[in-house]
Amino acid sequence: MNEVGLMRNILDSAVERATQEGAHHIYLVEMRLGEAADVAKESLEQAFEVVKKGTIAEMAQLQINYVPTVCYCSNCNIEFKPINSLYQCPECQQPYCEIRQGKELELATLAVS
Ligand SMILES: [Zn+2]
């Protein structure tokens, strides 16, 4: 996983959105990070420090909000919160159920001026 590349994409969208709103500075970038996205928060924060240099987000803070993982078992028709990385259904024990939520890695909101 290339965190710098990921953050550059997120920052690009942030700058584009801010520019469309006529903003000159971004001072807060809020993003969503799913628990199952398999990316460390610290790596993203470090990458953000690198990619924001020389952009209108140079002074911006990054706020990362976690999104909990929610799985779905099609056998049992239930949603559940996995207790291990196998995403195993607590009813029928089927492993690797569908992940409905928790893969997010995206821009949420911006504070601009
Ligand atoms: Zn099940």
Side-chain angles (χ1 to χ4, degrees):
M1 188 74 76
N2 178 354
E3 282 83 4
V4 173
L6 283 169
M7 280 316 298
R8 186 161 283 138
N9 287 342
I10 286 176
L11 187 66
D12 282 350
S13 329
V15 169
E16 197 181 309
R17 205 194 282 182
T19 310
Q20 278 170 2
E21 290 174 15
H24 299 289
H25 298 283
I26 300 174
Y27 56 92
L28 180 70
V29 174
E30 239 183 278
M31 64 176 287
R32 280 188 286 269
L33 172 62
E35 278 179 345
D38 209 19
V39 179
K41 184 171 179 262
E42 294 70 27
S43 312
L44 290 176
E45 285 167 349
Q46 284 166 14
F48 185 70
E49 294 304 310
V50 175
V51 299
K52 74 180 186 179
K53 289 211 172 69
T55 73
I56 62 168
E58 188 151 17
M59 304 305 281
Q61 284 194 325
L62 178 65
Q63 188 181 324
I64 297 176
N65 300 323
Y66 275 112
V67 182
T69 310
V70 175
C71 290
Y72 171 74
C73 177
S74 51
N75 291 340
C76 308
N77 193 29
I78 55 164
E79 285 189 343
F80 63 95
K81 180 151 178 48
I83 51 167
N84 59 38
S85 55
L86 291 176
Y87 311 120
Q88 191 173 44
C89 174
E91 296 295 325
C92 69
Q93 317 301 324
Q94 171 186 237
Y96 305 111
C97 291
E98 177 193 337
I99 297 173
R100 284 225 160 145
Q101 178 189 292
K103 289 280 197 184
E104 291 81 357
L105 188 60
E106 62 197 14
L107 182 64
T109 54
L110 290 177
V112 299
S113 62

